[in-house]
């Protein structure tokens, strides 16, 4: 059999599999999500739901057979496993998204979808994880990057400066290109969640660290703002991944000899610093690209320190 015949046969099989996948409401739901990260997260959640239902993956789960009581049983199972209310509600949102697609594809009737849509979210909350870094810890992080005279030291200082000074998410940081910088206003055009753009104004420190990275190391060529650096200071044109940023921060944390922190803690630190400086919650919400004030409030870590100080004054 010739290569061309094999190629045509392979293409037909792939097309057939693709068409079959599109008939799956879970696949249709994942395709409808705009963010790659959201697709990955919800795919993982749907796989967990599928396993609860006794299936191997979301692709072989009989979504069109689910009823309201099935959804409620899944919620109870997740709560029994210790999932937080917020996490369970994310599972519920994913299931409802799949069932909306099932209804749109005429796989379930309107009554079934209406009953499932009326399943209520779980109430309650858990103490937020994460923390805000202290001024001492921030100083230590920049101390180790400034002492590193390699190209990585300059790059990593700029990365930390933008995460801290602009409150960027890792995915937002690595998606930045050179042409996203507006030099006149010293701002970044950031693509956030939900395909929503916002302008992020850089404080002087962030701007200075970024300029040092651009002028001394990276150069002014178009492309990714932050790139990989191989051994012997070989600066590449390859875009950094958000996982690479995670490892960079982990390395710098150990070098700085400070308590471990998650990359998102730098975003929490940004929110806490802005609020501590007297900025109103709406301004902080807009700066962080949040859709609601309630989300922004969860990033405020000032209350923890206030409660700790108050508790330390109790004598008995």
């Amino acid at each position: 059999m010739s290569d061309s015949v094999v190629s045509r046969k392979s293409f037909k099989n792939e097309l057939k599999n693709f068409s079959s996948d599109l008939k799956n409401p879970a696949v249709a739901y994942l395709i409808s999500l705009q963010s790659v990260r959201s697709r990955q997260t919800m795919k993982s959640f749907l796989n967990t739901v599928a396993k609860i239902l006794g299936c191997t993956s979301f692709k072989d789960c009989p979504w069109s057979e689910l009823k309201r009581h099935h959804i409620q049983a899944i919620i109870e199972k997740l709560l029994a496993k210790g999932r937080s209310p917020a996490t369970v509600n994310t599972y519920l949102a994913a299931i409802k998204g799949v069932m909306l697609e099932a209804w749109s594809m005429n796989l379930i009737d309107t009554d079934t979808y209406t009953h499932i849509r009326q399943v209520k979210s779980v109430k309650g909350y858990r103490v937020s994880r994460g923390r805000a870094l202290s001024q001492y810890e921030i100083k230590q992080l920049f101390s180790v990057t400034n002492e590193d005279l390699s190209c990585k030291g300059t790059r990593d200082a700029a990365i930390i400066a933008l995460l801290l000074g602009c409150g960027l998410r890792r995915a937002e940081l690595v998606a930045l290109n050179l042409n996203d910088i507006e030099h006149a206003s010293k701002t970044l055009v950031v693509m956030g969640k939900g395909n929503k753009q916002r302008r992020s104004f850089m404080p002087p420190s962030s701007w200075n660290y970024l300029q040092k990275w651009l002028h001394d190391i990276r150069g002014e060529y178009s492309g990714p703002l932050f790139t990989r650096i191989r051994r012997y200071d070989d600066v590449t044109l390859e875009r950094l991944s958000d996982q690479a940023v995670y490892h960079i921060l982990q390395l710098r944390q150990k070098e700085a000899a400070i308590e471990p922190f998650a990359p998102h803690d730098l975003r929490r630190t940004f929110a806490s610093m802005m609020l501590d400086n007297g900025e109103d919650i709406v301004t902080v919400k807009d700066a962080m690209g949040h859709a609601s004030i309630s989300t922004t409030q969860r990033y405020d870590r000032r209350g923890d320190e206030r409660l700790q100080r108050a508790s330390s004054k109790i004598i008995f």
Side-chain angles (χ1 to χ4, degrees), residues 184-201:
S185 57
K186 298 181 181 179
T187 61
L188 295 169
V189 178
V190 181
M191 182 61 73
K193 285 186 175 181
N195 203 29
K196 296 176 182 177
Q197 276 190 343
R198 70 179 188 278
R199 277 189 171 82
S200 184
F201 293 83

Side-chain angles (χ1 to χ4, degrees), residues 73-92:
I74 292 169
I75 290 174
E76 292 300 320
K77 189 80 171 179
L78 291 168
L79 289 172
K81 288 185 174 183
R83 301 290 197 276
S84 71
T87 301
V88 173
N89 289 334
T90 305
Y91 276 98
L92 180 58

Side-chain angles (χ1 to χ4, degrees), residues 14-289:
E14 288 180 8
L15 188 61
K16 184 178 179 181
N17 291 334
F18 180 70
S19 300
S20 177
D21 282 346
L22 287 182
K23 295 177 182 178
N24 186 321
V27 173
Y29 164 68
L30 293 175
I31 291 174
S32 73
L33 300 176
Q34 297 178 341
S35 163
V36 174
R37 184 178 290 275
S38 294
R39 291 191 196 110
Q40 292 171 342
T41 300
M42 290 309 195
K43 179 180 177 181
S44 174
F45 277 30
L46 292 178
N47 276 328
T48 299
V49 171
K51 289 175 182 177
I52 290 175
L53 295 170
C55 304
T56 56
S57 80
F58 74 94
K59 284 191 175 182
D60 60 21
C61 185
W63 299 104
S64 59
E65 297 177 16
L66 294 188
K67 307 295 181 185
R68 178 189 177 104
H69 63 276
H70 294 134
I71 312 301
Q72 291 172 324
I74 292 169
I75 290 174
E76 292 300 320
K77 189 80 171 179
L78 291 168
L79 289 172
K81 288 185 174 183
R83 301 290 197 276
S84 71
T87 301
V88 173
N89 289 334
T90 305
Y91 276 98
L92 180 58
I95 295 170
K96 287 183 177 180
V98 173
M99 301 314 290
L100 172 59
E101 294 296 336
W103 174 74
S104 300
M105 298 163 72
N106 294 320
L107 298 177
I108 60 174
D109 57 48
T110 300
D111 285 346
T112 298
Y113 173 62
T114 301
H115 292 152
I116 289 174
R117 191 178 61 182
Q118 291 175 345
V119 175
K120 294 182 179 179
S121 299
V122 177
K123 293 183 178 180
Y125 64 91
R126 297 291 183 269
V127 175
S128 298
R129 295 181 180 179
R131 66 186 185 89
L133 276 66
S134 68
Q135 287 297 319
Y136 168 78
E137 290 176 311
I138 294 171
K139 183 179 179 181
Q140 288 300 106
L141 281 175
F142 284 115
S143 177
V144 297
T145 53
N146 292 339
E147 289 172 3
D148 183 351
L149 301 181
S150 71
C151 296
K152 288 183 178 179
T154 304
R155 180 200 63 187
D156 296 355
I159 286 173
I160 295 170
L162 290 191
L163 291 173
L164 269 175
C166 302
L168 302 182
R169 302 176 178 94
R170 275 188 296 159
E172 294 172 344
L173 177 90
V174 298
L176 289 171
N177 294 314
L178 184 71
N179 60 8
D180 291 323
I181 302 173
E182 295 183 346
H183 292 267
S185 57
K186 298 181 181 179
T187 61
L188 295 169
V189 178
V190 181
M191 182 61 73
K193 285 186 175 181
N195 203 29
K196 296 176 182 177
Q197 276 190 343
R198 70 179 188 278
R199 277 189 171 82
S200 184
F201 293 83
M202 286 176 273
S205 296
S206 298
W207 176 256
N208 291 338
Y209 277 113
L210 179 60
Q211 291 307 298
K212 184 173 176 58
W213 159 244
L214 293 177
H215 293 159
D216 295 356
I217 309 296
R218 183 195 179 279
E220 297 293 338
Y221 54 83
S222 62
L225 185 57
F226 291 105
T227 59
R228 288 183 59 197
I229 301 175
R230 297 195 182 98
R231 294 178 65 185
Y232 309 115
D233 276 353
D234 178 15
V235 181
T236 74
L237 302 179
E238 300 171 26
R239 187 183 302 275
L240 272 183
S241 67
D242 56 0
Q243 190 63 27
V245 173
Y246 175 87
H247 290 304
I248 288 169
L249 296 177
Q250 195 174 48
L251 172 65
R252 297 305 182 182
Q253 171 261 315
K254 291 177 180 177
E255 290 176 344
I258 61 176
E259 290 296 315
F261 64 88
H264 218 65
D265 287 339
L266 299 184
R267 188 163 157 84
R268 294 183 179 97
T269 306
F270 167 78
S272 296
M273 287 192 297
M274 287 199 77
L275 291 167
D276 210 29
N277 289 338
E279 301 299 337
D280 64 87
I281 192 72
V282 176
T283 299
V284 180
K285 174 186 80 70
D286 293 341
M288 299 185 74

